[in-house]
Amino acid sequence: MTAEPHFALRFISGKYQGGEFPLKMDREIIIGRSSDLDMVLVEDMVSRKHAKISTHNGQVIIQDLGSTNGTFVNGEKIKRVRLREGDRILIGTSIIKLVTADGASAAAGGRTAPPIPATGPMPAPNMTISASAAKRTTSGARSMAGTIDEIPLPDLLQLLSTSKKSGVLEVQGPQGLGRIYLRKGQIYFATIDDSFDLAPRKAVYRMMVWESGTFELQPPDDKEFLEELDEPTEGLLMEAMRQLDEIRRLDKELPPRSAKIGLASPLTTPLRTLTPEQLDMVQTVHNHGLVSTILDKSPNPDLETYQALIALIKAGVLAVSEAQAAE
């Protein structure tokens, strides 16, 4: 009796998004572009024999086979490494996640994928593909796309940075359409809803907070910008994650983005005791009122703006409107 697989490779981005390849113990699979391999990924960035995955004694090992563009695990280029549940593998434009195989996946171990027209890319043998994924695979309309719920933006950008990808990462998030411009893995510009109220660094930091939405990597854009980011992507991401942690820590004190803020009444704190930076924030609040607009108009990153607002509210200089506070 053939043992059921313990793990599966789930495609969370790329042409085969939605597909799942069950792994069986004490077996090897070769991944590459050649049509006679165990897992066939037909795209230019995948070598004929790209990588090998072997399973033995409950362990899953991946090894790069000298591929041209490399194999990446959790954003790091690897030669040979042990995989653990939840690890993300980047091969070509496919992001693959190692997951625990459920009963349905295990049963699919001997089932072939739905037929794909000869003009379309070939699916991996024994890989189950959802109807929506099969449609995308046949059309070849999307190269790298997925959901933030499945792969958070910091993880995705680390993968794109390490693999030196170029293009425009479009992110449809809860606060609009974000665009992150990449040149050989380096972020050089970012915007949300094409608004130039947001500095590119601030736009990057804000998008890192988004926990839901979709992404798609578009071809490179030759558009030029006056203010390009020149710091390493790794540094940007580290600072973005620091700010994200701080914002989450302040979560209970943060006024909602839909809230309105104004001067406290009565105003008992002498304005002369405020710093110039605090007075600038009071003026921004007075001019705009809505928290979301204040965040956009403030020259500072969202974390610093939130910290200033919280301090001024605690000092009795600003107050959230009663109607919004009751929501």
Side-chain angles (χ1 to χ4, degrees):
M1 182 176 178
T2 303
E4 292 185 346
H6 299 288
F7 298 101
L9 300 173
R10 179 177 297 159
F11 285 70
I12 60 176
S13 174
K15 295 178 181 178
Y16 306 100
Q17 183 186 345
E20 193 163 296
F21 189 107
L23 297 177
K24 294 184 178 181
M25 286 298 109
D26 301 317
R27 294 280 295 274
E28 283 186 356
I29 65 168
I30 305 296
I31 304 170
R33 202 173 68 244
S34 181
S35 61
D36 59 348
L37 301 182
D38 305 289
M39 181 185 288
V40 183
L41 304 179
V42 182
E43 56 172 289
D44 293 341
M45 295 187 67
V46 176
S47 297
R48 289 183 63 79
K49 288 187 177 181
H50 197 105
K52 176 175 71 175
I53 293 180
S54 55
T55 55
H56 183 65
N57 291 338
Q59 294 188 1
V60 182
I61 306 293
I62 185 169
Q63 178 181 345
D64 184 76
L65 298 178
S67 64
T68 302
N69 293 297
T71 301
F72 300 84
V73 175
N74 298 331
E76 294 186 10
K77 192 173 186 178
I78 61 96
K79 290 184 177 179
R80 186 178 186 274
V81 71
R82 179 184 174 185
L83 294 174
R84 302 182 186 276
E85 183 182 357
D87 283 350
R88 297 180 179 90
I89 307 160
L90 176 65
I91 295 178
T93 61
S94 292
I95 301 176
I96 309 165
K97 185 177 182 180
L98 183 68
V99 298
T100 302
D102 56 23
S105 297
R111 186 194 314 159
T112 57
I116 302 293
T119 54
M122 292 178 61
N126 297 330
M127 182 170 74
T128 57
I129 301 180
S130 67
S132 60
K135 183 177 180 181
R136 281 197 305 273
T137 301
T138 305
S139 67
R142 301 170 75 179
S143 58
M144 181 180 283
T147 66
I148 302 173
D149 313 66
E150 191 75 68
I151 175 167
L153 277 178
D155 294 354
L156 175 62
L157 285 165
Q158 185 179 12
L159 282 171
L160 297 177
S161 173
T162 311
S163 56
K164 301 187 184 302
K165 290 283 192 294
S166 295
V168 182
L169 184 67
E170 290 193 348
V171 185
Q172 184 62 61
Q175 296 168 21
L177 176 63
R179 290 188 175 90
I180 299 175
Y181 294 77
L182 296 157
R183 186 185 293 127
K184 294 183 179 180
Q186 294 300 304
I187 298 173
Y188 67 92
F189 196 76
T191 182
I192 298 175
D193 287 336
D194 294 324
S195 171
F196 288 95
D197 283 338
L198 294 180
R201 184 176 287 100
K202 184 172 177 177
V204 172
Y205 293 162
R206 182 175 295 182
M207 280 185 267
M208 294 306 103
V209 179
W210 296 354
E211 295 181 340
S212 63
T214 60
F215 68 83
E216 183 171 358
L217 184 63
Q218 302 285 3
D221 193 320
D222 58 3
K223 191 181 298 181
E224 296 184 357
F225 302 100
L226 291 176
E227 181 187 358
E228 288 196 0
L229 300 173
D230 56 6
E231 62 192 281
T233 292
E234 292 77 8
L236 268 176
L237 293 180
M238 287 181 63
E239 177 59 20
M241 295 309 298
R242 184 193 73 80
Q243 295 202 16
L244 174 58
D245 289 342
E246 286 296 310
I247 288 174
R248 285 174 173 167
R249 188 179 63 81
L250 295 171
D251 184 60
K252 292 182 179 179
E253 300 179 81
L254 298 180
R257 288 177 57 86
S258 59
K260 289 185 177 180
I261 298 181
L263 287 173
S265 181
L267 180 59
T268 57
T269 302
L271 292 179
R272 66 176 178 274
T273 63
L274 302 183
T275 66
E277 291 78 13
Q278 288 176 320
L279 288 172
D280 287 344
M281 180 56 61
V282 169
Q283 183 176 6
T284 302
V285 168
H286 177 71
N287 288 341
H288 304 290
L290 196 66
V291 171
S292 60
T293 308
I294 294 167
L295 290 168
D296 287 348
K297 296 296 184 181
S298 170
N300 301 318
D302 289 348
L303 172 61
E304 293 180 26
T305 304
Y306 273 132
Q307 290 171 330
L309 290 175
I310 290 170
L312 289 168
I313 290 171
K314 287 182 176 180
V317 177
L318 301 177
V320 179
S321 67
E322 292 183 7
Q324 291 291 338
E327 290 183 359

